[in-house]
């Protein structure tokens, strides 16, 4: 598993498309990140992993229905190979062969296995608990193969979910620490929820600041790369609602973003790939203190 680290990286739209095109041929294996880094040496591995994850998830969403239609074939192939080569990672090999996320294939086959065992479709809760803890699967061999899929999948699965959550929490703490270093008073999500707010940014500044000449009332931390699709979704589902409620704000994409997306500054949403260094503290009347 590859871990993220702090980076400062903006990429133009054309270059992003070049990277995305190259990613189309890659599978989510340990070797794929080395291949990607060798091809694009000027970009950090953290940024490339974030881009790979975004593009791979788009690919999986486009093709998942096709795989769901042939689950029975995959299940029988898995059973046959598992009998012939019981000590080999046959489920992981099958996932790479059919170009499906190992964790997604594991999910489909565990669901099919449970359906056969119980004669009915299992609840999501039961299925999720088995994927999180494969030892709960009542077939030791399948449990071992599911665990191999989880460990070797860098884009999907319970292990990746835990890591992404931890990374998100870590970067929110980095943001809070940088605000404290500059003696900037703020309320975080916990404070805001205690006040009854339901949809809130990570940080509300008690006294607004100016960054590169733009007033900032709130800050949102994103421990990911900002591509067009995810940024559009965030704008519609989060950022504009923050703007309506709290005024103009700042979004930090810690692993970079497509530079052309930073086009809403005049409307009140500023993008950065690091914590800003040129902060001016404002009084409540928006004049310099």
């Amino acid at each position: 598993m590859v871990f993220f680290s702090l980076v400062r990286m903006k990429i133009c739209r054309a270059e992003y498309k070049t990277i995305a095109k190259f990613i189309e041929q890659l599978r989510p294996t340990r070797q794929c990140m080395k291949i990607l880094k060798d091809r694009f040496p000027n970009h950090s591995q953290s940024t490339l992993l974030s881009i790979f994850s975004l593009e791979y998830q788009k690919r999986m969403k486009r093709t998942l229905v096709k795989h769901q239609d042939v689950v029975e074939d995959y299940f029988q192939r898995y059973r046959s190979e598992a009998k012939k080569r019981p000590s080999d990672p046959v489920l992981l090999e099958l996932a790479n062969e059919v170009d499906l996320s190992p964790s997604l294939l594991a999910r489909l086959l565990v669901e099919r296995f449970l359906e056969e065992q119980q004669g009915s479709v299992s609840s999501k809760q039961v299925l999720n608990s088995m994927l999180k803890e494969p030892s709960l699967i009542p077939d030791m061999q399948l449990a071992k193969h599911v665990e191999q899929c989880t460990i070797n999948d860098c884009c999907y699965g319970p292990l990746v979910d835990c890591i992404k959550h931890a990374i998100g929490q870590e970067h929110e703490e980095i943001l809070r620490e940088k605000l404290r270093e500059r003696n900037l008073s703020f309320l975080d999500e916990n404070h805001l929820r205690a006040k009854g707010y339901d949809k809130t940014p990570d940080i509300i500044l008690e006294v607004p600041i100016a960054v590169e000449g733009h007033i900032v009332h709130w800050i949102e931390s994103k421990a990911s790369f900002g591509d067009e699709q995810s940024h559009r979704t965030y704008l519609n589902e989060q950022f504009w609602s923050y703007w309506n409620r709290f005024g103009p704000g700042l979004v930090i994409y810690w692993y970079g973003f497509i530079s052309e997306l930073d086009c809403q500054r005049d409307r009140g949403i500023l993008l950065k790939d690091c914590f800003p260094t040129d902060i001016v503290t404002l009084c409540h009347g928006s004049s310099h203190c």
Side-chain angles (χ1 to χ4, degrees):
M1 181 60 60
V2 184
F3 288 85
F4 295 91
S5 61
L6 285 175
V7 295
R8 301 176 66 174
M9 183 62 65
K10 285 186 280 188
I11 298 175
C12 71
R13 185 179 280 121
E15 188 171 9
Y16 184 89
K17 286 181 178 178
T18 300
I19 296 171
K21 184 72 175 172
F22 185 79
I23 285 171
E24 287 178 9
Q25 65 181 302
L26 299 178
R27 304 287 184 268
T29 63
R30 292 176 185 273
Q31 293 76 32
C32 79
M33 287 315 303
K34 183 180 185 309
I35 295 168
L36 197 54
K37 179 64 175 164
D38 288 345
R39 175 64 180 81
F40 301 100
N42 294 330
H43 299 303
S44 79
Q45 186 152 305
S46 300
T47 293
L48 291 172
L49 175 56
S50 189
I51 294 172
F52 178 85
S53 182
L54 288 166
E55 290 300 315
Y56 187 74
Q57 286 171 25
K58 291 175 197 171
R59 191 201 308 175
M60 291 302 99
K61 286 175 184 175
R62 288 195 304 268
T63 61
L64 184 57
V65 172
K66 175 187 76 175
H67 295 291
Q68 288 171 328
D69 290 341
V70 290
V71 168
E72 186 60 34
D73 177 56
Y74 291 165
F75 187 58
Q76 297 305 330
R77 284 180 64 187
Y78 162 71
R79 276 189 152 174
S80 174
E81 288 301 313
K83 281 181 183 177
K84 292 177 194 172
R85 302 182 289 129
S87 60
D88 290 353
V90 293
L91 190 54
L92 182 61
E93 290 172 4
L94 179 59
N96 290 329
E97 180 192 331
V98 301
D99 191 19
L100 179 60
S101 150
S103 290
L104 288 181
L105 180 60
R107 185 181 191 88
L108 291 174
L109 295 201
V110 170
E111 191 171 27
R112 172 64 183 81
F113 169 79
L114 292 173
E115 190 177 331
E116 181 179 77
Q117 292 279 302
Q118 301 168 2
S120 60
V121 178
S122 294
S123 69
K124 278 190 177 180
Q125 186 178 357
V126 169
L127 186 58
N128 288 339
S129 66
M130 289 185 178
L131 294 168
K132 285 179 182 175
E133 184 47 71
S135 63
L136 296 174
I137 299 170
D139 181 307
M140 287 180 61
Q141 188 179 50
L142 179 58
K144 180 183 73 174
H145 290 143
V146 167
E147 186 173 31
Q148 288 168 345
C149 286
T150 299
I151 291 170
N152 286 281
D153 195 325
C154 65
C155 295
Y156 280 95
L159 181 58
V160 170
D161 291 343
C162 286
I163 291 171
K164 284 184 175 177
H165 178 72
I167 290 168
Q169 297 284 99
E170 177 189 355
H171 284 78
E172 287 175 25
E173 182 54 37
I174 289 169
L175 175 56
R176 288 191 288 266
E177 192 58 39
K178 294 208 175 272
L179 291 167
R180 291 187 198 105
E181 285 173 6
R182 288 158 179 77
N183 295 314
L184 297 171
S185 299
F186 63 89
L187 300 173
D188 63 17
E189 280 182 303
N190 295 326
H191 293 120
L192 292 164
R193 283 182 185 140
K195 288 175 176 283
Y197 290 107
D198 53 350
K199 189 179 283 190
T200 66
D202 294 315
I203 296 292
I204 294 286
L205 296 164
E206 294 194 284
V207 177
I209 60 174
V211 176
E212 298 173 12
H214 297 271
I215 295 173
V216 169
H217 288 273
W218 54 267
I219 305 174
E220 179 73 5
S221 171
K222 294 295 182 190
S224 61
F225 185 90
D227 73 327
E228 301 213 36
Q229 185 173 307
S230 60
H231 183 64
R232 190 185 313 116
T233 300
Y234 287 140
L235 278 171
N236 294 333
E237 296 182 0
Q238 295 181 346
F239 304 158
W240 287 128
S241 64
Y242 300 163
W243 182 89
N244 284 328
R245 182 174 289 184
F246 304 111
L250 164 68
V251 179
I252 302 177
Y253 282 110
W254 295 100
Y255 301 115
F257 56 89
I258 295 174
S259 55
E260 288 90 342
L261 297 178
D262 191 16
C263 59
Q264 307 284 357
R265 290 185 169 211
D266 291 341
R267 294 183 65 189
I269 295 178
L270 176 69
L271 304 187
K272 296 283 286 180
D273 59 359
C274 61
F275 189 84
T277 55
D278 55 343
I279 291 174
V280 177
T281 306
L282 304 177
C283 294
H284 284 286
S286 294
S287 61
H288 291 197
C289 294

